[in-house]
Amino acid sequence: MERGKFISVEGIEGVGKSTNIDVVVRRIEAAGHKVLTTREPGGTPFAEDIREILMNRNDEPIPEIAEVLLMFAARSFNVNNVIVPALEAGKWVVCDRFTDSSRAYQSGGRGIPMETIDTVADWVHGDTWPDVTILLDAPVEVGMERAGKRSAPDRFEQERHDFFQRVRECYLQIAAREPDRFVVIDTTRDIEEVSSDVANLIDEILRG
Ligand code: TMP
C-alpha cells in the first residue's frame, strides 16, 4: 500500500483556513484518493478534551511551558492514533495546523526558544512532518477583521495585535527556511483567485 501524503494548513486567525481546507479535500477526493481531515490541537477524543482546556479555560494562568506541553500532548494522540495509521492505510491526511503552529505561536508569539519547540517536536513525532505545508498569509489587520466577525474570542483570539504580528513573521521566516515543504499563499486577494491557486497546488502534488 502506497503511503498517503500529509498536508498541513497554517496561518493566523481569519486567513481562510476552513474555506481552503475544503478546496484541498475536494480536489484530492476528485482525483480518487481517500482523505482524512483532522485538526490541532484536537483530532481524537482525548486531544479534543485537551483543546477545550487550552482554548477556553481561564480560571488559572496557563504557564507558557504548560501550553507547549499540552499542545504536544494533544499532537501525540493525533499523530499516533489518527495521522500515522491513516497515512499507512494509504489515505491522504489534511491537518488544520501542526507543529508549525507551535513554532509560530509558542516561539514567535510567546517567546519560547525555537530549539525547545523543535526538541519536543522531535521527541513527540520524529520524522513525521507534513510533505507539504500551505501557509495562508494575510496582514494581521485583515485576519483580525475577518476573525472578529465570528463568535466569542477564545484564549488565543484575546491576544493583541503585536502577538499576531510576531506569529505571522515567525511563520514567514519558517517558510523561507524550508522552501521545499512550504507554499505561501496570499489570501488578501479574491476568494476565487486564492482557491484556484490552492487547487493548482494540489494538482501539482497529485502529479508527484
Ligand atoms: P483554530 O484551530 O481554530 O485556529 O484554533 C487553534 C488555536 O490554537 C489558534 O489560536 C492557534 C493555537 N495553537 C497554538 O498556539 N499552538 C499549536 O501548536 C496549535 C496547533 C494551535
Side-chain angles (χ1 to χ4, degrees):
M1 168 80 63
E2 195 187 339
R3 199 179 162 93
K5 293 241 185 279
F6 179 13
I7 298 174
S8 63
V9 180
E10 296 280 357
I12 57 170
E13 351 294 285
V15 289
K17 273 193 297 124
S18 311
T19 314
N20 286 295
I21 285 172
D22 283 349
V23 175
V24 169
V25 171
R26 273 188 273 118
R27 202 75 175 184
I28 303 169
E29 281 175 347
H33 295 281
K34 288 216 162 58
V35 184
L36 180 139
T37 48
T38 182
R39 67 169 180 183
E40 297 212 341
T44 85
F46 205 116
E48 288 289 331
D49 282 356
I50 299 176
R51 176 187 179 95
E52 183 55 32
I53 293 172
L54 276 164
M55 311 285 282
N56 295 320
R57 255 188 94 158
N58 285 310
D59 56 333
E60 187 179 333
I62 301 186
E64 290 169 356
I65 295 282
E67 187 174 273
V68 171
L69 295 173
L70 285 166
M71 288 293 176
F72 275 99
R75 184 161 298 127
S76 174
F77 283 93
N78 203 22
V79 167
N80 284 286
N81 299 348
V82 173
I83 296 174
V84 169
L87 293 171
E88 282 174 354
K91 288 185 192 155
W92 286 46
V93 172
V94 178
C95 197
D96 181 343
R97 303 189 177 281
F98 195 65
T99 290
D100 298 300
S101 279
S102 300
R103 289 165 148 184
Y105 284 75
Q106 278 66 53
S107 180
R110 303 253 192 255
I112 301 256
M114 188 68 81
E115 307 81 67
T116 306
I117 306 289
D118 285 350
T119 302
V120 181
D122 191 42
W123 185 48
V124 169
H125 58 82
D127 290 338
T128 305
W129 280 91
D131 297 293
V132 177
T133 297
I134 302 173
L135 174 57
L136 302 172
D137 180 62
V140 176
E141 302 73 43
V142 175
M144 283 180 114
E145 155 85 15
R146 290 185 193 155
K149 295 193 176 124
R150 299 201 289 248
S151 54
D154 60 42
R155 208 171 55 80
F156 290 95
E157 288 163 350
Q158 289 163 15
E159 287 294 339
R160 290 204 317 268
H161 184 283
D162 56 334
F163 175 85
F164 292 108
Q165 190 64 43
R166 292 196 298 277
V167 172
R168 180 188 183 209
E169 277 162 19
C170 187
Y171 266 137
L172 290 170
Q173 279 166 15
I174 306 166
R177 257 202 334 256
E178 296 188 49
D180 291 346
R181 175 164 67 90
F182 271 86
V183 178
V184 183
I185 294 190
D186 169 9
T187 65
T188 55
R189 298 165 301 151
D190 281 354
I191 192 156
E192 290 78 20
E193 261 180 83
V194 174
S195 304
S196 140
D197 275 10
V198 170
N200 288 338
L201 167 66
I202 298 302
D203 290 348
E204 222 176 279
I205 301 169
L206 285 161
R207 282 195 297 271

